Amino acid sequence: MTADERHTSTGLRAAELDRTGVALRELLGALGTTLVELVDAPVGDGVAIRSVALVDSSDLSSETVAHAPMSDMYLHVGIAEAEAVRWLEEVAQRVPAQRPRAVLSKSAAAAGGLRRAALRAGVAVVGVHPQARWDHVYPLIRRMLDRTGPARDSADQDLLAADTDLFGLAQIIAQNAGGMVTIEDAHSHVLAYSASNDAADRLRIQSILGREGPREYLRILQQWGVFDRLRHTDEVIDLPAHAELDIKHRLAVGIRRPGEGSAATVLGSIWLQEGERPFKSDAAEVLRGASAIAARIISRSLDAPSTEALLIQRLFGARGGGVDVPSVASALGIPVTGPAALIGFAFTGATPAAAELSALGSTLRLRASAFRRDSLATLIGDRAYILLPHYHSARAVTAWTRQLVDQLESTGAPILRAAIAIPVAELTDVARARLEVDRVLDSTAAGFPKDRVTTLAESRTAVLLGEILDLIAARPELEDPRLTALFDYDRGHAAQLEASVDHYLRHHGDVRAAATALRVHPNTLRYRLRRAQDITGIDLDDPADRLLLELQLAHHRRGVDRHRPTRR
């Protein structure tokens, strides 16, 4: 490929990534002025945001490592102005294409130094409401970045739009029913909302900021049985205003995914607050239709992985063939080169149900993120995988993995085994490393609980031997029929010829050591060995016969072990 072709290819790839992002103005417009406010935008508010990072002061230095990809948007949590200014000065040393595009800070409006440094770096500054919860703001932005399409805000959109998302749906409900909308999950966490105006009441503002609504009002809703009705019926509930608490008239409806028979999964609820004008006459009908659409959207998001999840799975070699690793690395904000560690987890025993599997995947992702903020985690089939970019300490990652497996077991989670590939030279080798990890997990199952955590280097013998035994198991003609007579003799005479031969081979032909292990006299063992040779016709003095016999006995033990009850 020529230099011009490479430049064109890179430009097309960047343009395509830009198209998958969300314009800053669209993102801030959806979040609303209650939550955020654009303070400065040196290069305009049309820049595309594709990735976001939540950082504190301890993260800033690692986020400006030379040539390491940076996220498009940074949420500065508890970072002093002086620290933010130093960070932006380092950011300004990068070429424009490698700089972040926006910084969110609760002190942005008043921090003149931060604004001037951001202006020099060409980074937009966004102020966040001082009472907003970061653990609420971050998921909202991530949800926006995972949207399947741009927000639908034109007046001619209807509720049958198949490709809308929850933010788009909230705006459509507001247009068709009148008022202001919030869509919440089953735990009353806000998932999306429509634009607010000066008529927004205390409950709405607190909800958007990620805070709990007035406790007095929540008690009233509980007394009225509102939450029970939302969980168990499809009716639209009319809630009168409460002037003393500054709560305005509302309509509410539950979001439920139909189940078998009368069963239904509760997914959340939709709340419509009355604004400056009364609700439209068909507002209740609009809410009922919106509830069905919201159920499909939420179900789709629960059932299908996000854009980031798909990118991670493709990086691990799942979901199709070739992957443009540099583009994926840029989108995920991780370095392409440098050593990394890949950990695979397999269950010991039966694979848990889908819900338990999903919960365990979330737990592993949480623990991995606490260990390394740039870690990536995913579930592929019935196995979980974690990638630790730019990590090369085998001892440290092995110790952390052992601790993680033990901690999860102590909480009653399904028992796990883990295999570690380290070092993985670069991201292009991740898919190949996952296959190697799978080979280890496949081959070390019989060694549980001894081999709870192992590395590829430690398990190479077990892997290759296991695959040889798999080959024997898959091809019956490779099984030596001479051993059948030995097994039949033991069963018919309550003898221990097989165990005697096995111990003899394990002790490298040392009769006294094998006899001690068996707790028999050496002469007794010699007699058993002669008897075994007579029955099978195998010569224990022949190296080839001994090698074949060891493989055949290992194959037999493996079959016996697989029929024993699984330990939990």
Side-chain angles (χ1 to χ4, degrees), residues 158-181:
D158 60 34
L159 290 176
L160 297 179
D163 59 348
T164 191
D165 68 349
L166 290 178
F167 278 93
L169 179 61
Q171 195 64 31
I172 293 168
I173 299 169
Q175 291 162 1
N176 285 267
M180 292 168 279
V181 178

Side-chain angles (χ1 to χ4, degrees), residues 123-367:
V123 176
V125 177
V126 179
V128 178
H129 194 290
Q131 293 184 22
R133 292 174 57 103
W134 285 116
D135 61 352
H136 173 71
V137 177
Y138 180 68
L140 282 176
I141 294 175
R142 288 292 303 271
R143 199 170 294 119
M144 283 292 297
L145 298 184
D146 286 339
R147 296 173 69 177
T148 56
R152 274 70 179 173
D153 55 7
S154 61
D156 59 353
Q157 290 293 333
D158 60 34
L159 290 176
L160 297 179
D163 59 348
T164 191
D165 68 349
L166 290 178
F167 278 93
L169 179 61
Q171 195 64 31
I172 293 168
I173 299 169
Q175 291 162 1
N176 285 267
M180 292 168 279
V181 178
T182 56
I183 301 176
E184 302 180 357
D185 66 13
H187 304 288
S188 298
H189 299 145
V190 173
L191 298 174
Y193 47 87
S194 65
S196 294
N197 56 39
D198 293 340
D201 65 12
R202 179 184 171 194
L203 177 59
R204 177 175 176 81
I205 292 172
Q206 291 295 94
S207 297
I208 290 175
L209 294 177
R211 302 287 174 179
E212 187 179 76
R215 292 186 178 180
E216 309 94 309
Y217 188 66
L218 296 179
R219 277 198 296 270
I220 291 172
L221 295 181
Q222 193 73 42
Q223 291 169 5
W224 289 348
V226 171
F227 297 118
D228 284 338
R229 290 162 69 188
L230 290 174
R231 283 192 294 268
H232 298 110
T233 73
D234 296 320
E235 65 178 298
V236 175
I237 305 171
D238 194 317
L239 303 171
H242 197 299
E244 293 179 7
L245 296 176
D246 185 26
I247 305 297
K248 298 192 176 180
H249 181 201
R250 271 177 170 71
L251 297 179
V253 67
I255 304 171
R256 306 193 308 151
R257 175 160 56 179
E260 296 182 3
S262 60
T265 302
V266 179
L267 301 175
S269 55
I270 303 175
W271 300 76
L272 179 67
Q273 184 219 303
E274 191 170 77
E276 298 168 343
R277 299 174 182 172
F279 297 131
K280 294 183 180 180
S281 59
D282 59 349
E285 182 179 352
V286 170
L287 280 181
R288 277 193 292 270
S291 171
I293 293 177
R296 291 199 296 271
I297 294 172
I298 296 175
S299 296
R300 190 170 64 220
S301 68
L302 292 174
D303 296 338
S306 65
T307 300
E308 179 181 290
L310 288 172
L311 287 176
I312 293 173
Q313 291 203 339
R314 291 189 66 196
L315 182 64
F316 278 80
R319 296 187 176 272
V323 56
D324 185 346
V325 171
S327 295
V328 171
S330 177
L332 296 175
I334 58 175
V336 176
T337 59
L342 190 150
I343 312 167
F345 297 88
F347 296 101
T348 297
T351 301
E356 191 175 12
L357 184 63
S358 177
L360 184 62
S362 298
T363 299
L364 287 174
R365 181 177 183 181
L366 180 66
R367 297 297 184 93

Side-chain angles (χ1 to χ4, degrees), residues 501-521:
V501 172
D502 189 26
H503 276 74
Y504 174 76
L505 294 172
R506 287 173 182 244
H507 287 85
H508 312 291
D510 187 332
V511 172
R512 290 192 175 278
T516 299
L518 285 168
R519 297 182 180 180
V520 298
H521 193 277

Side-chain angles (χ1 to χ4, degrees), residues 364-373 375 400:
L364 287 174
R365 181 177 183 181
L366 180 66
R367 297 297 184 93
S369 296
F371 182 60
R372 289 275 301 192
R373 295 185 69 91
S375 65
W400 174 77

